[in-house]
Amino acid sequence: MRKFKLRLLAVFVAAAVCITASPYRICLADENDNSISGLKQQEDKTRDTISNLEKQTKETKDTIALLEEQRRETESNVSELKEESDELKSEIAGYSKKLDDLSGEIEQAEEAMSDVSAQIVTLNGELDTITKEKEERETLLKKRMKSVYERGGSKGMLQLVLEAGSFKDLLNRYVYLESMVGYDRQKIAECQEMAGQIQVKLAEVQAKEAEINAYQDDLDDKYSELESITDEVKGKLSSTNSSIMAEKDKLADYDNQLKELDRKMKALESQTASAQAELAKQIAKRLSLTREDTGGSYSASGTELEWLAATIQAEAGGESYTGKLAVGSVIMNRVKSSAFPNTITGVITQNMQFASYRSGKVELIMAAGANSTCVKAAQEVIGGARVGDYLFFMTKYYADYYGIAEYTMIGNHAFFYKWVTKQKAEPDPSVEPTPAPEPTPAPEPTPEPTPEPTPEPGDNDDPGGEVEVPVGEE
C-alpha cells in the first residue's frame, strides 16, 4: 500500500514537472525561433548590401572595359599618326633631294640671268656707241650737204662748175664733183649700215631682255614651288604632331580615369569581402543554433564529379589525401546545408566563394582532366565520406588574421564550422609596443606527379591578396 502511494506521488510529481516545464520549453523554442528569424533578417540585409556592391562592381567593370576599349582605339590612333608622321618625315627627306635639285636649278638660272644681264649691259654700251657715231656722221653729212649742194655760198657746186676756165678744167671739176658725190654716197651708206647695226643690236637687247624675263618667271615658279612644298609638308607634319599630342593627352586622361576606377574597384572588393565575411559570421551563428546534419551521399552527375574533382585539385592538389577529402567535405557539407546552394556546381561557382574558380584555375584543370587521386577523393565524399562537418576553410594566416576562435588544421588549411572570433586583448599601456613581426609564408605543398596549375593569389599568406571567405545563400 505504501509503495502504491509512493508510485502515485511520483506520477503526480512527474505530471507537475511536465506541466511546469512545458511552457518553459515552448518559451525556449519561441525564443530560438525569434533569434533565427532575427538572424535571417540580418543576413537578408547583408545580402542586399552585397548585391548592391556587386551591382556597383559590375557597373565599374563595364566602365573600365569601355574605357580600356577607348584607350586601345586611341593607342591605335596614336600608332597610325606616328606612322603618318614617319611617312611625312620620310617624304620631307625625299623632298630634300628635290629641294637640293631645285636650289641647283635656281642657282643656275640666277647665274644665267647674271650672264644675260652682263650681255645686255654690253649690248646697250655698243648700241650707245654706234648710235652716237651715227648721229655725229649724220650731223657732219648734213652740214656738208648743206654747204655743197644747196644754192648760195662761195663754194656752191653750181658756182664751181660755172667758174671753169676751160673744158679741161671743167672736166677736172666734174671729176672732183663726182668724187665728192661718191664720197658722200659712201658716207650715207655707212650711216645706213650703222642704222641697220643699231636695229640688230636693239633686237639682240630685246631678245636678251625676253630671255632674262623668262629666267625671272622660271625663278619665280621655282621659288613658289619650293615655298609650296615646304609649307605643305610642314603643315601636314605640324597637324600630325598636334593630333599625336591630343591623342596622347587622351591616353593620359584615360590612364587617370582607369587608376581612379581601379582604386574604386579595390574599395568595392574590400567592402564586398567585408560584407561576405559578415554574412559568413551571421550564417554560422544561425547554423550554430540549429546544427544541421550535412552527412550522407549525393546523386551527382558526371559533370558535377568533374567540377568537384577539379576544385579539390585546385585547392588541395599538393595536400595529403586527408586534406583533399577535407576540401571535398566542405563542398558537400554546403550542398547538404540549407544555407548554401544545393548542387555541387552551385556551391563552387557561388559568387565570392572559391578564389580558384574566380581565377579560372578550376576550369583549366577541368579542360586537362583532374588527376586520379582527386577524382577518387571526390567520389568518396559524394558517396557520403566526410572529414568533419566543416563549412569553411582558409589558410592559417587568414584564420588568425580574422581571429577565428576554433579551427582544425589539416595540411595548410584551417577548417571550421562556426565563424566565432576571439576577443582581442586590450593592450597594456605600461608595455612598450613592439613592431609586429613579418608573417611567415605557409610552406609550399609537395606537388603530386600530375602537374598542377600555378597557385592563385589566395593560397599565400599575404594580407593584401585574396582569401577564402566561404559564404553562401539559402
Side-chain angles (χ1 to χ4, degrees), residues 106-394:
I106 290 172
E107 187 176 349
Q108 290 175 1
E110 287 176 341
E111 289 177 357
M113 283 182 67
S114 296
D115 292 341
V116 171
S117 177
Q119 291 174 25
I120 289 174
V121 171
T122 302
L123 286 171
N124 282 324
E126 293 175 356
L127 183 61
D128 287 343
T129 301
I130 293 172
T131 301
K132 286 179 181 178
E133 186 177 352
K134 175 178 173 293
E135 288 175 352
E136 288 174 358
R137 289 189 181 189
E138 285 178 345
T139 301
L140 291 172
L141 187 59
K142 283 179 181 179
K143 287 181 179 180
R144 177 179 173 78
M145 294 277 296
K146 186 176 181 180
S147 63
V148 174
Y149 297 104
E150 290 181 1
R151 283 180 175 273
S154 59
K155 295 182 180 180
M157 184 176 288
L158 180 60
Q159 186 179 354
L160 183 66
V161 172
L162 294 176
E163 288 179 355
S166 64
F167 183 74
K168 183 180 179 181
D169 185 28
L170 178 64
L171 288 175
N172 288 336
R173 288 181 181 228
Y174 176 78
V175 169
Y176 169 75
L177 287 172
E178 185 179 10
S179 173
M180 186 175 62
V181 170
Y183 174 79
D184 290 339
R185 286 176 177 170
Q186 179 184 349
K187 292 301 178 181
I188 291 171
E190 287 178 358
C191 286
Q192 290 175 343
E193 182 182 356
M194 291 180 74
Q197 289 177 0
I198 289 171
Q199 293 300 320
V200 170
K201 291 295 180 182
L202 282 172
E204 287 182 5
V205 169
Q206 290 173 354
K208 291 298 180 182
E209 286 179 345
E211 184 178 351
I212 202 168
N213 287 335
Y215 276 125
Q216 185 61 57
D217 292 340
D218 186 46
L219 276 176
D220 290 341
D221 291 341
K222 290 184 187 302
Y223 278 123
S224 296
E225 182 183 0
L226 181 63
E227 185 177 357
S228 175
I229 289 172
T230 303
D231 290 346
E232 180 183 0
V233 176
K234 284 183 177 179
K236 284 182 180 178
L237 188 59
S238 176
S239 175
T240 303
N241 289 337
S242 297
S243 298
I244 289 173
M245 290 301 296
E247 294 298 304
K248 284 185 175 179
D249 288 342
K250 281 186 186 177
L251 281 178
D253 185 51
Y254 286 140
D255 287 338
N256 290 333
Q257 291 184 58
L258 286 169
K259 284 179 183 177
E260 186 61 34
L261 287 170
D262 183 59
R263 283 193 288 269
K264 183 177 179 180
M265 276 293 295
K266 287 178 179 176
L268 286 170
E269 287 170 358
S270 176
Q271 292 173 41
T272 303
S274 298
Q276 291 282 10
E278 182 61 29
L279 183 59
K281 294 177 188 177
Q282 293 167 353
I283 290 173
K285 185 176 180 181
R286 176 169 58 82
L287 292 177
S288 67
L289 296 177
T290 55
R291 198 174 188 97
E292 299 176 321
D293 179 11
T294 57
S297 61
Y298 173 80
S299 179
S301 66
T303 301
E304 284 186 303
L305 175 62
E306 291 177 5
W307 273 96
L308 181 58
T311 306
I312 290 172
Q313 183 170 328
E315 296 290 348
E319 299 284 332
S320 65
Y321 190 68
T322 302
K324 294 178 175 60
L325 287 174
V327 170
S329 295
V330 169
I331 295 171
M332 291 311 305
N333 288 339
R334 289 185 172 201
V335 173
K336 292 286 188 174
S337 171
S338 63
F340 297 91
N342 58 4
T343 65
I344 291 173
T345 309
V347 166
I348 293 170
T349 60
Q350 190 179 10
N351 188 34
M352 295 299 291
Q353 298 305 299
F354 291 90
S356 57
Y357 165 70
R358 296 199 304 276
S359 68
K361 186 176 178 182
V362 171
E363 290 175 286
L364 182 66
I365 294 172
M366 285 180 67
N371 62 47
S372 57
T373 308
C374 293
V375 172
K376 180 62 177 173
Q379 290 171 336
E380 289 283 356
V381 294
I382 286 173
R386 297 286 190 277
V387 178
D389 58 356
Y390 312 118
L391 292 174
F392 310 95
F393 74 92
M394 60 181 66

